[in-house]
């Protein structure tokens, strides 16, 4: 397995995004659309980004990873298994409906049933309504990560999402990669409403006049998100003035952006890990632990960080970055080509074998280039790789059905601890609990 901790870079036209009192209309180019407007359809960065724009969580992380109140105005632990949230009153959904405890409980129950989110909420037995503006979340045992998981509770408009569509479909159903009511219609409490959406073309937002947070300092009235997959094209759009902001900025483009006039480059550290999953069910050779170890030893993490990421990443030899509980400084990358060849010979594959590999080409920074580099490195130990890269929208359905022998997946811990990586990436897939959903 190859892992890289990456950082996020964004660039903005300083003149076009002045933070004055005057309202602004801005256009942002990013690498790919969220796959859906349903906040529970896919657990991904794109979905969470959309959720923070159109919905609001009960609580939210600060830049220092503390917690601040949003739709929950306060909270307290009642006993070892019960955590109580007081809800903010006077919060209006985009539909005009008012938010109450009924909406929060409805949302929690939907999260418990979502294929992607149910593992996060597996420690909980239930959520119960205490009164119209108070809910209790009850865990099956003592559980310390309640506030962490509460950052994923974006209350949905239960009245808006209840009932049937004209063709008899349940408006509340969660459909992976499907054309459900919730994937194409939205009513949240967030600062923006979705005014139009063309998948893969653009999403247009307008500021919600009824937004509860009157102290919000935002000055953007209309926002347009435009997906531009190619890194260089995204930068060109910024420098030409066609867009006001882009994210991310590929390492190869940093100097070009820094040298441009009236453009600011902002970089932030991240803890996302990029890995390759190996499918033992589709390729017999991968059942041999020596072959899997050979693959680990054959991939030069340092080389990828230096040559492809231009130093804008950190090598990692484990599922968990420095600073997370469970991190072990002794676990480092194991690049050793000689050792890799020896392991292949011991396993009976001295002449190598063939495997298929898939990766997205617009989800992570330099994702396709990293996959190409990994494929070239595996060829040095006789493994012939048939590599296919796809846009994010087409990639995730293929990932879900394990369509290749090796598939790329990036992961940021949902609860900011190392256990989350194992829960989603290495545990055996379990439809009932949601564990191993991205294994």
């Amino acid at each position: 397995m190859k892992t890289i901790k990456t950082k996020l870079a964004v660039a903005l036209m300083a003149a076009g995004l002045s933070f004055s009192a005057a309202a602004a209309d801005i256009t942002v180019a990013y690498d790919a659309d969220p796959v859906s407007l349903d906040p529970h359809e896919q657990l991904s960065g794109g979905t969470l980004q959309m959720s923070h724009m159109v919905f609001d969580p009960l609580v939210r992380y600060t830049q220092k990873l503390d917690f601040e109140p949003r739709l929950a105005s306060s909270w307290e632990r009642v006993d070892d298994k019960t955590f109580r949230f007081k809800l903010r009153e006077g919060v209006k959904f985009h539909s005009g409906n008012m938010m109450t405890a009924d909406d929060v409980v409805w949302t929690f129950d939907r999260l418990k049933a979502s294929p992607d989110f149910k593992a996060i909420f597996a420690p909980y037995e239930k959520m119960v309504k205490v009164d119209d503006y108070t809910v209790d979340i009850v865990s099956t045992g003592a559980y310390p990560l309640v506030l962490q998981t509460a950052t994923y509770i974006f209350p949905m408009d239960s009245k808006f999402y209840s009932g049937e569509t004209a063709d008899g479909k349940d408006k509340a159903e969660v459909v992976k990669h499907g054309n459900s009511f919730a994937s194409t219609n939205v009513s949240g409490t967030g600062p923006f409403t979705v005014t139009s959406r063309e998948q893969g073309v653009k999403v247009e937002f307008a500021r919600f006049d009824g937004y509860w947070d009157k102290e919000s300092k935002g000055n953007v009235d209309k926002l347009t998100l435009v997906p531009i997959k190619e890194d260089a094209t995204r930068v060109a759009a910024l420098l030409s003035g066609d867009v006001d902001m882009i994210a991310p900025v590929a390492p190869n483009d940093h100097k070009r952006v820094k040298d441009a006039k009236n453009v600011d480059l902002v970089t932030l550290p991240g803890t996302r890990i990029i890995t390759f999953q190996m499918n033992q069910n589709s390729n017999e050779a991968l059942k041999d632990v020596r072959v899997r170890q050979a693959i680990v030893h054959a991939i030069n993490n340092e080389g990828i960080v230096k040559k492809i990421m231009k130093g804008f990443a950190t090598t990692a030899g484990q599922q968990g970055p420095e600073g997370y509980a469970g991190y072990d400084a002794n676990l480092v990358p194991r690049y050793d080509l000689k050792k890799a060849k020896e392991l292949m010979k011991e396993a009976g594959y001295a002449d190598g074998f063939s495997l298929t590999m898939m990766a997205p080409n617009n989800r992570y920074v330099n994702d396709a280039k990293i996959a190409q580099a990994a494929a070239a490195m595996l060829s040095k130990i006789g493994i012939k790789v048939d590599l296919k890269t796809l846009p994010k929208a087409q990639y995730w359905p293929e990932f879900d059905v394990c369509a290749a022998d090796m598939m790329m997946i990036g992961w940021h811990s949902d609860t900011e601890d190392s256990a989350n990586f194992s829960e989603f990436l290495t545990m055996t897939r379990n439809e009932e609990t949601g564990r191993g959903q991205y294994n």
Side-chain angles (χ1 to χ4, degrees):
M1 180 179 69
K2 175 225 19 93
T3 57
I4 296 179
K5 289 188 292 181
T6 59
K7 297 181 180 179
L8 170 69
V10 298
L12 54 137
M13 295 290 288
L17 284 177
S18 59
F19 294 95
S20 65
D25 297 351
I26 68 169
T27 299
V28 178
Y30 60 156
D31 50 2
D33 274 341
V35 298
S36 169
L37 293 178
D38 186 343
H40 300 164
E41 184 176 327
Q42 183 176 40
L43 180 52
S44 69
T47 295
L48 293 171
Q49 172 184 285
M50 181 274 296
S51 296
H52 280 283
M53 294 172 64
V54 182
F55 298 86
D56 275 303
L58 292 185
V59 300
R60 184 172 67 184
Y61 284 112
T62 67
Q63 285 287 338
K64 296 181 179 180
L65 294 183
D66 294 324
F67 299 99
E68 63 179 4
R70 296 306 288 166
L71 295 188
S73 57
S74 63
W75 50 84
E76 63 176 330
R77 181 169 287 282
V78 178
D79 56 43
D80 287 349
K81 297 182 181 180
T82 308
F83 208 92
R84 178 164 294 172
F85 290 97
K86 294 294 291 184
L87 304 176
R88 200 174 296 277
E89 298 185 32
V91 175
K92 185 185 294 184
F93 286 109
H94 299 159
S95 67
N97 295 328
M98 300 304 292
M99 186 201 76
T100 69
D102 292 325
D103 299 297
V104 180
V105 173
W106 186 93
T107 301
F108 176 84
D109 291 342
R110 193 171 188 264
L111 281 162
K112 286 275 287 182
S114 164
D116 274 29
F117 286 84
K118 66 171 63 175
I120 294 177
F121 291 88
Y124 301 107
E125 177 187 342
K126 59 185 176 180
M127 176 181 279
V128 295
K129 173 183 175 180
V130 178
D131 59 41
D132 282 348
Y133 294 99
T134 308
V135 295
D136 283 350
I137 186 169
V138 182
S139 55
T140 55
Y143 188 61
L145 303 177
V146 177
L147 290 177
Q148 283 85 344
T149 51
T151 64
Y152 291 91
I153 302 176
F154 293 84
M156 298 175 71
D157 187 345
S158 61
K159 294 178 181 177
F160 178 84
Y161 291 101
S162 293
E164 292 186 347
T165 61
D167 58 354
K169 298 287 184 63
D170 180 4
K171 289 183 177 181
E173 67 177 342
V174 180
V175 182
K176 290 281 287 182
H177 317 299
N179 190 29
S180 67
F181 177 84
S183 72
T184 53
N185 296 272
V186 63
S187 174
T189 62
F192 291 99
T193 62
V194 177
T195 56
S196 70
R197 179 174 183 255
E198 297 177 69
Q199 180 69 40
V201 179
K202 65 179 178 179
V203 187
E204 294 180 326
F205 302 85
R207 181 167 289 280
F208 178 38
D209 290 337
Y211 189 46
W212 63 270
D213 188 358
K214 302 304 181 184
E215 296 182 2
S216 172
K217 301 298 192 294
N219 69 332
V220 176
D221 273 353
K222 293 182 180 179
L223 171 66
T224 301
L225 298 184
V226 180
I228 300 178
K229 183 182 74 174
E230 293 79 12
D231 296 332
T233 307
R234 207 160 51 242
V235 171
L238 176 75
L239 299 185
S240 68
D242 289 340
V243 301
D244 302 295
M245 177 177 174
I246 66 173
V249 181
N252 287 342
D253 296 317
H254 282 194
K255 186 177 187 304
R256 183 183 177 194
V257 170
K258 282 181 179 178
D259 292 345
K261 293 182 179 179
N262 298 321
V263 176
D264 290 333
L265 177 68
V266 180
T267 62
L268 300 168
T271 55
R272 182 180 304 281
I273 291 180
I274 307 298
T275 106
F276 280 106
Q277 301 274 18
M278 289 181 272
N279 189 352
Q280 299 179 39
N281 293 326
S282 65
N283 194 308
E284 186 70 23
L286 296 178
K287 292 182 178 180
D288 194 312
V289 64
R290 293 167 296 187
V291 170
R292 301 197 301 274
Q293 290 175 346
I295 289 173
V296 172
H297 286 293
I299 295 180
N300 184 352
N301 291 31
E302 291 284 359
I304 290 174
V305 167
K306 182 178 180 180
K307 297 291 181 64
I308 296 176
M309 301 300 291
K310 305 298 182 184
F312 199 67
T314 305
T315 58
Q318 58 194 289
Q319 288 191 146
E322 186 175 1
Y324 274 24
Y327 176 79
D328 185 346
N330 295 316
L331 299 177
V332 297
R334 292 171 283 172
Y335 175 60
D336 186 335
L337 196 57
K338 181 180 178 181
K339 177 70 172 178
K341 291 179 179 178
E342 291 174 353
L343 287 165
M344 288 287 284
K345 185 176 180 180
E346 289 177 18
Y349 292 99
D351 297 327
F353 60 91
S354 298
L355 61 74
T356 57
M357 177 188 290
M358 292 181 71
N361 55 27
N362 65 349
R363 174 62 188 95
Y364 313 112
V365 177
N366 287 335
D367 43 15
K369 291 180 179 179
I370 292 172
Q372 291 162 3
M377 291 170 182
L378 293 182
S379 70
K380 294 182 179 180
I381 59 172
I383 298 178
K384 305 170 190 67
V385 177
D386 178 8
L387 172 63
K388 182 178 181 180
T389 66
L390 297 167
K392 182 176 72 171
Q394 286 77 52
Y395 180 71
W396 292 123
E398 297 295 311
F399 184 95
D400 284 344
V401 297
C402 306
D405 302 328
M406 289 184 67
M407 303 196 74
M408 179 185 285
I409 176 74
W411 201 261
H412 170 265
S413 173
D414 303 302
T415 49
E416 303 296 341
D417 74 310
S418 297
N420 185 259
F421 292 100
S422 298
E423 290 166 356
F424 276 89
L425 300 181
T426 59
M427 285 187 175
T428 301
R429 286 194 183 192
N430 186 313
E431 187 174 335
E432 181 179 345
T433 65
R435 301 294 192 196
Q437 178 68 11
Y438 283 82
N439 180 349

